[in-house]
Coordinates of all heavy atoms in Angstrom, one line a residue:
M1 N 0.2 -28.8 19.8 CA -0.9 -28.0 20.2 C -0.6 -26.6 19.5 O 0.5 -26.0 19.6 CB -0.8 -27.8 21.6 CG -2.1 -27.0 22.1 SD -2.4 -27.2 23.9 CE -1.5 -25.7 24.6
S2 N -1.7 -26.1 18.8 CA -1.5 -24.9 18.0 C -1.7 -23.7 19.0 O -2.5 -23.7 20.0 CB -2.4 -24.8 16.9 OG -3.8 -24.7 17.4
E3 N -1.0 -22.6 18.7 CA -1.2 -21.3 19.4 C -2.2 -20.4 18.8 O -2.2 -20.2 17.6 CB 0.2 -20.6 19.5 CG 0.4 -19.5 20.3 CD 1.8 -18.8 20.3 OE1 2.7 -19.7 20.3 OE2 2.0 -17.6 20.3
I4 N -3.0 -19.9 19.6 CA -4.0 -19.0 19.1 C -3.4 -17.6 19.0 O -2.8 -17.0 20.0 CB -5.3 -19.0 20.2 CG1 -5.8 -20.2 20.3 CG2 -6.2 -17.8 19.7 CD1 -6.9 -20.4 21.2
M5 N -3.6 -17.1 17.8 CA -3.1 -15.7 17.4 C -4.3 -14.6 17.9 O -5.3 -14.9 17.4 CB -2.8 -15.6 16.0 CG -1.6 -16.3 15.7 SD -1.2 -16.2 13.9 CE -0.6 -14.5 14.0
G6 N -3.8 -13.6 18.3 CA -4.7 -12.4 18.6 C -4.9 -11.7 17.3 O -4.2 -11.8 16.4
L7 N -5.9 -10.7 17.3 CA -6.1 -9.9 16.1 C -4.9 -9.1 15.7 O -4.5 -9.0 14.6 CB -7.3 -8.9 16.4 CG -7.8 -8.0 15.2 CD1 -8.0 -8.7 14.0 CD2 -8.8 -7.1 15.7
K8 N -4.3 -8.4 16.8 CA -3.1 -7.6 16.4 C -2.0 -8.5 15.8 O -1.3 -7.9 14.9 CB -2.6 -6.9 17.7 CG -3.6 -5.7 18.0 CD -2.9 -4.8 19.1 CE -4.0 -3.7 19.3 NZ -3.4 -2.6 19.9
A9 N -1.8 -9.6 16.2 CA -0.7 -10.5 15.7 C -1.0 -10.9 14.3 O -0.1 -10.9 13.4 CB -0.7 -11.7 16.6
K10 N -2.4 -11.1 14.1 CA -2.8 -11.5 12.7 C -2.5 -10.3 11.7 O -2.0 -10.5 10.6 CB -4.2 -11.9 12.7 CG -4.5 -13.3 13.3 CD -5.9 -13.6 13.3 CE -6.2 -14.9 14.2 NZ -7.6 -15.2 14.2
L11 N -2.9 -9.1 12.1 CA -2.8 -8.0 11.3 C -1.3 -7.7 11.1 O -0.9 -7.1 10.1 CB -3.5 -6.8 11.9 CG -5.0 -6.8 12.0 CD1 -5.7 -5.6 12.8 CD2 -5.7 -6.8 10.6
G12 N -0.5 -7.9 12.1 CA 1.0 -7.8 12.1 C 1.5 -8.5 10.8 O 2.7 -8.2 10.5
L13 N 0.9 -9.6 10.4 CA 1.5 -10.5 9.3 C 1.2 -9.7 8.0 O 1.9 -10.1 7.0 CB 0.8 -11.8 9.4 CG 1.0 -12.6 10.6 CD1 0.4 -14.1 10.4 CD2 2.6 -12.9 10.7
D14 N 0.1 -9.0 7.9 CA -0.1 -8.2 6.5 C 1.1 -7.4 6.2 O 1.7 -6.8 6.9 CB -1.4 -7.6 6.7 CG -2.6 -8.5 6.9 OD1 -2.5 -9.7 6.6 OD2 -3.6 -8.1 7.6
V15 N 1.0 -7.2 4.8 CA 2.1 -6.1 4.3 C 1.3 -5.1 3.6 O 0.4 -5.3 2.9 CB 3.0 -6.9 3.3 CG1 4.0 -5.9 2.5 CG2 3.7 -8.0 4.0
F16 N 1.8 -3.9 3.7 CA 1.1 -2.7 3.1 C 2.0 -2.0 2.4 O 3.2 -1.7 2.7 CB 0.6 -1.8 4.3 CG -0.4 -2.4 5.2 CD1 0.1 -3.1 6.4 CD2 -1.7 -2.4 4.9 CE1 -0.7 -3.7 7.2 CE2 -2.7 -3.0 5.8 CZ -2.2 -3.7 6.9
K17 N 1.6 -1.6 1.1 CA 2.4 -0.9 0.1 C 1.6 0.5 -0.2 O 0.8 0.5 -0.8 CB 2.6 -1.6 -1.2 CG 3.6 -0.9 -2.1 CD 3.8 -1.7 -3.3 CE 4.8 -1.1 -4.3 NZ 5.0 -1.8 -5.5
P18 N 2.0 1.5 0.6 CA 1.2 2.7 0.5 C 1.4 3.4 -0.8 O 2.4 3.4 -1.5 CB 1.7 3.6 1.7 CG 3.2 3.0 1.9 CD 3.2 1.5 1.4
D19 N 0.2 4.0 -1.3 CA 0.2 4.8 -2.5 C 0.4 6.2 -2.1 O 0.2 6.6 -1.0 CB -1.2 4.7 -3.0 CG -1.3 5.3 -4.5 OD1 -0.2 6.0 -5.0 OD2 -2.3 5.2 -5.2
A20 N 1.2 7.0 -3.0 CA 1.2 8.4 -2.7 C 0.1 9.2 -2.4 O 0.0 10.1 -1.7 CB 2.1 9.0 -3.8
R21 N -1.0 8.7 -3.2 CA -2.3 9.4 -3.0 C -3.2 8.5 -2.1 O -3.6 7.3 -2.5 CB -3.1 9.5 -4.3 CG -4.4 10.1 -4.4 CD -5.3 9.9 -5.6 NE -5.4 8.5 -5.9 CZ -6.5 7.9 -5.4 NH1 -7.3 8.4 -4.6 NH2 -6.7 6.5 -5.8
P22 N -3.6 8.9 -0.9 CA -4.3 8.1 0.0 C -5.7 7.7 -0.6 O -6.3 8.6 -1.3 CB -4.6 9.0 1.3 CG -3.6 9.9 1.2 CD -3.2 10.1 -0.2
H23 N -6.1 6.5 -0.6 CA -7.4 6.0 -1.3 C -8.6 6.5 -0.4 O -9.7 6.2 -0.9 CB -7.3 4.6 -1.5 CG -7.3 3.7 -0.5 ND1 -6.0 3.5 0.2 CD2 -8.1 2.9 0.2 CE1 -6.2 2.6 1.2 NE2 -7.5 2.2 1.2
I24 N -8.5 6.9 0.8 CA -9.6 7.3 1.7 C -9.1 8.6 2.3 O -8.1 8.7 2.8 CB -9.8 6.3 2.8 CG1 -10.2 4.9 2.3 CG2 -11.0 6.8 3.7 CD1 -10.2 3.8 3.3
S25 N -10.1 9.5 2.4 CA -9.9 10.8 3.0 C -11.2 11.3 3.5 O -12.2 11.0 3.1 CB -9.1 11.8 2.2 OG -10.0 12.2 1.1
I26 N -11.2 12.0 4.7 CA -12.3 12.8 5.2 C -12.5 14.0 4.3 O -11.5 14.8 4.1 CB -12.1 13.2 6.7 CG1 -11.8 11.9 7.6 CG2 -13.2 14.0 7.2 CD1 -11.4 12.2 8.9
K27 N -13.7 14.2 3.9 CA -13.9 15.4 3.1 C -13.7 16.6 3.9 O -14.0 16.7 5.0 CB -15.4 15.4 2.5 CG -15.5 14.3 1.4 CD -16.8 14.4 0.8 CE -16.8 13.3 -0.4 NZ -18.2 13.4 -1.1
P28 N -13.1 17.7 3.3 CA -12.9 19.0 4.1 C -14.1 19.5 4.7 O -15.2 19.5 4.2 CB -12.4 19.8 2.9 CG -12.0 19.1 1.8 CD -12.8 17.7 1.8
G29 N -13.9 19.8 5.9 CA -15.0 20.5 6.8 C -15.9 19.4 7.4 O -16.9 19.8 8.2
M30 N -15.7 18.1 7.2 CA -16.6 17.0 7.8 C -16.0 16.4 9.0 O -16.6 15.4 9.4 CB -16.9 16.0 6.7 CG -17.4 16.6 5.5 SD -19.0 17.4 5.6 CE -20.2 16.2 5.6
E31 N -15.0 16.9 9.5 CA -14.3 16.3 10.7 C -15.3 16.2 11.9 O -14.9 15.3 12.8 CB -13.0 17.0 11.1 CG -12.0 16.9 9.9 CD -12.2 18.0 8.8 OE1 -13.1 18.7 8.9 OE2 -11.3 18.0 7.9
R32 N -16.2 17.0 12.0 CA -17.0 17.1 13.3 C -18.3 16.3 13.0 O -19.3 16.4 13.7 CB -17.2 18.5 13.7 CG -16.1 19.0 14.4 CD -16.4 20.5 14.8 NE -15.3 21.3 15.4 CZ -15.0 21.2 16.5 NH1 -15.7 20.8 17.5 NH2 -13.8 21.9 17.0
D33 N -18.7 15.9 11.8 CA -19.9 15.3 11.4 C -20.1 14.1 12.2 O -19.4 13.3 12.4 CB -19.9 15.1 9.8 CG -21.2 14.7 9.4 OD1 -21.8 13.6 9.7 OD2 -21.9 15.4 8.6
P34 N -21.4 14.0 12.7 CA -21.7 12.8 13.6 C -21.6 11.5 12.8 O -21.3 10.4 13.3 CB -23.2 13.0 14.0 CG -23.4 14.5 13.8 CD -22.5 15.0 12.8
R35 N -21.9 11.6 11.6 CA -21.8 10.3 10.9 C -20.4 9.7 10.8 O -20.1 8.5 10.8 CB -22.2 10.5 9.4 CG -23.8 10.7 9.3 CD -24.1 11.2 7.9 NE -23.6 12.5 7.6 CZ -23.9 13.2 6.5 NH1 -24.6 12.8 5.5 NH2 -23.3 14.5 6.3
L36 N -19.3 10.6 10.7 CA -17.9 10.2 10.8 C -17.6 9.5 12.0 O -16.7 8.6 12.0 CB -17.1 11.3 10.4 CG -15.7 11.2 10.1 CD1 -15.6 10.3 8.8 CD2 -15.0 12.5 9.9
K37 N -18.2 9.8 13.2 CA -17.9 9.2 14.4 C -18.1 7.6 14.5 O -17.6 6.9 15.3 CB -18.6 10.0 15.5 CG -18.0 11.3 15.8 CD -18.8 12.2 16.8 CE -18.2 13.5 17.0 NZ -19.0 14.3 17.7
R38 N -19.1 7.2 13.6 CA -19.3 5.9 13.5 C -18.0 5.1 13.1 O -17.8 3.9 13.5 CB -20.4 5.6 12.4 CG -21.7 6.2 12.6 CD -22.5 6.1 11.5 NE -23.8 6.9 11.6 CZ -24.6 7.1 10.7 NH1 -24.3 6.9 9.4 NH2 -25.7 7.9 10.7
A39 N -17.2 5.7 12.3 CA -15.9 5.0 11.9 C -15.1 4.7 13.0 O -14.3 3.8 13.0 CB -15.3 5.8 10.8
V40 N -15.1 5.5 14.1 CA -14.1 5.4 15.2 C -14.5 4.0 15.8 O -13.7 3.2 16.3 CB -14.3 6.5 16.2 CG1 -13.5 6.2 17.5 CG2 -13.9 7.8 15.6
L41 N -16.0 3.7 15.9 CA -16.3 2.4 16.3 C -16.2 1.3 15.6 O -16.0 0.2 16.1 CB -17.8 2.6 16.8 CG -18.2 3.7 17.7 CD1 -19.7 3.9 17.9 CD2 -17.6 3.5 19.0
V42 N -16.3 1.3 14.2 CA -16.3 0.2 13.4 C -15.1 -0.1 12.7 O -15.0 -1.4 12.2 CB -17.5 0.3 12.4 CG1 -18.9 0.5 13.1 CG2 -17.4 1.4 11.4
C43 N -14.1 0.7 12.5 CA -12.9 0.4 11.7 C -12.2 -0.6 12.4 O -11.7 -0.6 13.5 CB -12.1 1.7 11.5 SG -10.4 1.2 10.7
P44 N -12.0 -1.9 11.8 CA -11.4 -3.1 12.5 C -9.9 -2.8 12.6 O -9.3 -3.4 13.5 CB -11.7 -4.2 11.4 CG -11.8 -3.5 10.2 CD -12.5 -2.2 10.4
A45 N -9.3 -1.8 12.0 CA -7.8 -1.7 12.2 C -7.7 -0.4 13.0 O -6.6 0.0 13.4 CB -7.1 -1.2 10.8
G46 N -8.8 0.2 13.5 CA -8.6 1.4 14.5 C -8.0 2.5 13.9 O -7.1 3.3 14.6
L47 N -8.4 2.9 12.7 CA -7.5 4.0 12.1 C -8.3 5.3 12.2 O -7.7 6.4 11.8 CB -7.3 3.7 10.6 CG -6.6 2.4 10.2 CD1 -6.6 2.3 8.7 CD2 -5.3 2.3 10.9
Y48 N -9.3 5.3 12.9 CA -10.1 6.7 13.1 C -10.0 6.8 14.7 O -10.1 6.1 15.4 CB -11.5 6.5 12.6 CG -11.8 6.4 11.3 CD1 -11.7 5.2 10.6 CD2 -12.1 7.5 10.5 CE1 -11.9 5.1 9.3 CE2 -12.2 7.4 9.1 CZ -12.1 6.3 8.5 OH -12.3 6.2 7.1
S49 N -9.9 8.1 15.0 CA -10.0 8.5 16.5 C -10.6 9.8 16.7 O -10.5 10.6 15.6 CB -8.5 8.5 17.0 OG -7.7 9.4 16.3
L50 N -11.0 10.1 17.8 CA -11.5 11.3 18.1 C -10.7 12.1 18.9 O -10.1 11.8 19.9 CB -13.0 11.1 19.0 CG -13.9 12.1 19.1 CD1 -14.5 12.6 17.7 CD2 -15.2 11.7 19.9
N51 N -10.4 13.3 18.5 CA -9.5 14.3 19.3 C -10.2 15.1 20.3 O -11.3 15.0 20.4 CB -8.5 15.1 18.4 CG -9.4 16.1 17.6 OD1 -10.4 16.6 18.0 ND2 -8.7 16.6 16.6
A52 N -9.3 15.8 21.1 CA -9.9 16.5 22.3 C -10.8 17.7 21.7 O -11.8 18.1 22.5 CB -8.8 17.2 23.0
A53 N -10.6 18.0 20.5 CA -11.4 19.2 19.9 C -12.9 18.6 19.4 O -13.7 19.4 18.9 CB -10.8 19.8 18.8
G54 N -13.0 17.2 19.5 CA -14.2 16.5 19.0 C -14.1 16.4 17.5 O -15.3 16.1 16.9
E55 N -13.0 16.3 16.7 CA -12.9 16.1 15.5 C -12.4 14.7 15.2 O -11.6 14.1 16.0 CB -11.8 17.1 14.8 CG -12.4 18.5 14.9 CD -11.3 19.4 14.4 OE1 -10.2 19.2 14.3 OE2 -11.7 20.7 13.9
V56 N -12.8 14.2 14.3 CA -12.4 12.7 13.8 C -11.1 12.8 13.1 O -10.9 13.5 12.1 CB -13.4 12.0 13.0 CG1 -12.9 10.6 12.6 CG2 -14.7 11.7 13.9
E57 N -10.1 12.2 13.4 CA -8.9 12.2 12.7 C -8.6 10.7 12.2 O -9.1 9.8 12.6 CB -7.7 12.4 13.8 CG -7.7 13.8 14.3 CD -6.5 14.0 15.3 OE1 -6.0 13.0 15.8 OE2 -6.3 15.3 15.5
F58 N -7.8 10.7 11.0 CA -7.7 9.4 10.3 C -6.3 9.2 9.9 O -5.7 10.2 9.4 CB -8.7 9.4 9.1 CG -8.5 8.3 8.2 CD1 -8.9 7.0 8.5 CD2 -8.2 8.6 7.0 CE1 -8.6 5.9 7.7 CE2 -7.9 7.5 5.9 CZ -8.2 6.2 6.3
T59 N -5.7 8.1 9.9 CA -4.6 7.6 9.2 C -4.8 6.5 8.3 O -5.5 5.5 8.6 CB -3.4 7.4 10.3 OG1 -2.2 7.1 9.4 CG2 -3.8 6.3 11.1
I60 N -4.2 6.6 7.1 CA -4.5 5.4 6.1 C -3.6 4.4 6.5 O -3.9 3.2 5.9 CB -4.2 6.1 4.6 CG1 -4.8 5.1 3.6 CG2 -2.7 6.3 4.5 CD1 -6.2 5.1 3.6
D61 N -2.5 4.3 7.1 CA -1.6 3.3 7.5 C -2.2 2.2 8.1 O -2.7 2.3 9.2 CB -0.3 3.8 8.2 CG 0.3 5.0 7.5 OD1 0.4 5.1 6.2 OD2 0.9 5.9 8.3
G62 N -2.2 1.0 7.5 CA -2.8 -0.2 8.0 C -4.2 -0.4 7.6 O -5.0 -1.3 8.1
C63 N -4.6 0.2 6.5 CA -6.0 0.0 6.0 C -6.3 -1.2 5.4 O -5.3 -1.7 4.5 CB -6.4 1.1 5.0 SG -8.0 0.9 4.3
L64 N -7.3 -2.0 5.8 CA -7.6 -3.3 5.1 C -8.4 -3.4 4.0 O -8.8 -4.4 3.5 CB -8.3 -4.1 6.4 CG -7.3 -4.2 7.7 CD1 -8.1 -4.8 8.8 CD2 -6.2 -5.1 7.4
E65 N -8.8 -2.1 3.6 CA -9.7 -2.0 2.4 C -10.9 -2.8 2.4 O -11.4 -3.3 1.5 CB -9.0 -2.4 1.2 CG -7.7 -1.6 0.9 CD -6.8 -2.3 -0.2 OE1 -7.2 -2.9 -1.1 OE2 -5.6 -2.1 -0.1
C66 N -11.5 -2.9 3.7 CA -12.8 -3.8 4.0 C -13.9 -2.9 3.6 O -15.0 -3.5 3.3 CB -12.8 -4.0 5.4 SG -13.0 -2.6 6.6
G67 N -14.0 -1.6 3.5 CA -15.2 -0.8 3.2 C -16.1 -0.5 4.3 O -17.2 0.1 4.0
T68 N -15.8 -1.1 5.4 CA -16.8 -0.8 6.6 C -17.1 0.7 6.9 O -18.1 1.1 7.1 CB -16.2 -1.5 7.8 OG1 -15.9 -2.9 7.6 CG2 -17.1 -1.4 9.0
C69 N -15.9 1.5 6.8 CA -16.1 3.0 7.0 C -17.0 3.6 6.0 O -17.8 4.5 6.4 CB -14.8 3.6 7.2 SG -13.7 3.6 5.8
R70 N -16.9 3.1 4.8 CA -17.8 3.8 3.7 C -19.2 3.4 3.9 O -20.0 4.3 3.7 CB -17.2 3.1 2.4 CG -18.0 3.5 1.2 CD -17.4 3.0 -0.2 NE -18.1 3.6 -1.3 CZ -19.1 3.0 -1.9 NH1 -19.5 1.8 -1.4 NH2 -19.6 3.6 -2.9
L71 N -19.4 2.1 4.3 CA -20.9 1.7 4.5 C -21.4 2.5 5.8 O -22.6 2.9 5.9 CB -21.0 0.2 4.8 CG -20.7 -0.6 3.5 CD1 -20.6 -2.1 3.9 CD2 -21.7 -0.4 2.5
A72 N -20.5 2.6 6.8 CA -21.1 3.2 8.2 C -21.2 4.7 7.9 O -22.2 5.2 8.7 CB -20.1 2.8 9.3
C73 N -20.4 5.3 7.3 CA -20.4 6.8 7.3 C -21.1 7.5 6.0 O -21.6 8.4 6.1 CB -19.0 7.4 7.4 SG -18.1 6.8 8.9
G74 N -20.9 6.8 4.9 CA -21.3 7.3 3.7 C -20.4 8.2 3.0 O -19.4 8.6 3.4
T75 N -20.6 8.2 1.7 CA -19.7 9.0 0.9 C -19.9 10.5 0.8 O -19.2 11.3 0.1 CB -19.7 8.6 -0.7 OG1 -21.1 8.7 -1.0 CG2 -19.2 7.1 -0.8
E76 N -20.8 11.0 1.7 CA -21.0 12.5 1.8 C -19.9 13.0 2.8 O -19.7 14.2 2.7 CB -22.4 12.8 2.4 CG -23.6 12.6 1.4 CD -24.8 12.9 2.0 OE1 -24.8 13.5 3.0 OE2 -25.8 12.5 1.3
V77 N -19.3 12.2 3.6 CA -18.4 12.6 4.6 C -17.0 12.0 4.3 O -16.0 12.5 4.8 CB -18.7 12.3 6.0 CG1 -19.9 13.1 6.4 CG2 -19.0 10.7 6.2
L78 N -17.0 11.0 3.5 CA -15.7 10.3 3.1 C -15.4 10.2 1.6 O -16.4 9.9 0.9 CB -15.6 8.9 3.6 CG -15.4 8.5 5.1 CD1 -15.4 7.2 5.4 CD2 -14.1 9.1 5.5
E79 N -14.2 10.4 1.2 CA -13.8 10.1 -0.2 C -13.4 8.7 -0.1 O -12.4 8.5 0.7 CB -12.7 10.9 -0.6 CG -13.2 12.4 -1.0 CD -13.9 12.6 -2.2 OE1 -14.0 11.6 -2.9 OE2 -14.6 13.7 -2.4
W80 N -13.7 7.7 -0.8 CA -13.4 6.4 -0.7 C -13.2 5.6 -2.1 O -14.0 5.7 -2.8 CB -14.3 5.7 0.2 CG -14.0 4.4 0.8 CD1 -13.7 4.3 2.1 CD2 -13.6 3.0 0.2 NE1 -13.2 3.0 2.5 CE2 -13.3 2.2 1.3 CE3 -13.7 2.6 -1.1 CZ2 -12.8 0.9 1.1 CZ3 -13.3 1.3 -1.3 CH2 -12.8 0.4 -0.3
S81 N -12.0 5.1 -2.2 CA -11.8 4.3 -3.3 C -10.8 3.2 -3.1 O -10.1 3.4 -2.1 CB -11.2 5.2 -4.6 OG -10.1 5.7 -4.2
Y82 N -10.5 2.2 -3.9 CA -9.6 1.3 -3.6 C -8.2 1.8 -4.2 O -8.2 2.8 -5.0 CB -9.8 0.0 -4.5 CG -10.8 -0.8 -3.8 CD1 -12.1 -0.9 -4.5 CD2 -10.7 -1.5 -2.7 CE1 -13.1 -1.8 -3.9 CE2 -11.6 -2.4 -2.1 CZ -12.9 -2.4 -2.7 OH -13.9 -3.2 -2.2
P83 N -7.1 1.4 -3.7 CA -5.8 1.8 -4.2 C -5.6 1.4 -5.5 O -6.3 0.5 -6.1 CB -4.7 1.1 -3.3 CG -5.6 0.7 -2.0 CD -6.9 0.5 -2.5
V84 N -4.7 2.1 -6.3 CA -4.5 1.8 -7.7 C -3.6 0.4 -7.5 O -3.2 -0.1 -6.6 CB -3.6 2.7 -8.4 CG1 -4.4 4.0 -8.6 CG2 -2.3 3.0 -7.7
G85 N -3.7 -0.3 -8.6 CA -3.2 -1.6 -8.8 C -1.6 -1.8 -8.2 O -0.9 -0.9 -8.6
G86 N -1.4 -2.8 -7.4 CA -0.1 -3.0 -6.9 C 0.2 -2.2 -5.7 O 1.3 -2.4 -5.1
F87 N -0.8 -1.5 -5.1 CA -0.6 -0.7 -3.8 C -1.7 -1.3 -3.0 O -2.7 -2.0 -3.3 CB -0.7 0.7 -4.0 CG 0.4 1.4 -4.7 CD1 0.2 1.5 -6.1 CD2 1.5 1.8 -4.2 CE1 1.5 2.1 -6.7 CE2 2.6 2.4 -4.8 CZ 2.5 2.4 -6.1
G88 N -1.5 -1.0 -1.7 CA -2.5 -1.4 -0.7 C -2.1 -2.6 0.2 O -0.9 -2.9 0.3
V89 N -3.1 -3.3 0.8 CA -2.8 -4.5 1.7 C -2.6 -5.6 1.0 O -3.2 -6.0 -0.1 CB -3.9 -4.5 2.7 CG1 -5.2 -5.0 2.0 CG2 -3.7 -5.6 3.8
Q90 N -1.7 -6.6 1.4 CA -1.5 -7.9 1.1 C -1.8 -8.7 2.4 O -0.9 -8.7 3.2 CB 0.0 -8.0 0.5 CG 0.4 -7.3 -0.8 CD 1.7 -7.5 -1.2 OE1 2.5 -8.3 -0.8 NE2 2.2 -6.5 -2.0
F91 N -2.7 -9.5 2.2 CA -3.1 -10.4 3.3 C -2.2 -11.6 3.4 O -2.0 -12.2 2.4 CB -4.6 -10.8 3.3 CG -5.5 -9.6 3.5 CD1 -6.2 -9.1 2.3 CD2 -5.8 -9.1 4.7 CE1 -7.0 -8.0 2.5 CE2 -6.6 -7.9 4.9 CZ -7.2 -7.5 3.8
R92 N -1.7 -11.9 4.6 CA -0.7 -13.0 4.8 C -1.4 -14.1 5.7 O -0.6 -15.0 6.1 CB 0.5 -12.4 5.3 CG 1.3 -11.5 4.3 CD 1.8 -12.3 3.2 NE 2.3 -11.2 2.1 CZ 3.6 -10.9 1.9 NH1 4.4 -11.4 2.9 NH2 3.9 -10.1 1.1
F93 N -2.6 -13.9 6.2 CA -3.1 -14.9 7.1 C -4.3 -15.6 6.5 O -5.1 -14.9 6.0 CB -3.4 -14.3 8.4 CG -3.8 -15.3 9.4 CD1 -2.9 -16.0 10.2 CD2 -5.2 -15.4 9.7 CE1 -3.3 -16.9 11.1 CE2 -5.5 -16.2 10.7 CZ -4.6 -17.1 11.4
G94 N -4.6 -16.7 6.6 CA -5.7 -17.5 6.3 C -5.8 -18.1 4.9 O -4.8 -18.3 4.3
Ligands
LIG101 S1 -11.6 0.5 4.8 FE1 -11.7 -0.9 6.6 S2 -9.7 -0.9 7.5 FE2 -9.7 0.7 5.9 S3 -10.2 2.7 7.1 FE3 -12.2 1.9 6.5 S4 -13.1 0.6 8.0 FE4 -10.8 1.0 8.4

């Protein structure tokens, strides 16, 4: 009988090689923009959060490079690109 894996367990199998230059960042001054709050809801890795001051915070660690935040928020609030070759996520499941 096979064991069912949860999302966190599946994500835990992936390997990440971070680049010195983050491939996604919040544009300066856009931390309170309402469009950015969409990323808190849609990022499958949970990398965006809302702090007590009402600003969106972001960490690149664990990014799946899915592009969902780019589509949800737009490039007016986010700088978004893929990591350079050899860096980023290596999927290990499926
Ligand atoms: S690309 Fe995907 S995983 Fe990475 S921060 Fe955006 S929504 Fe999250």
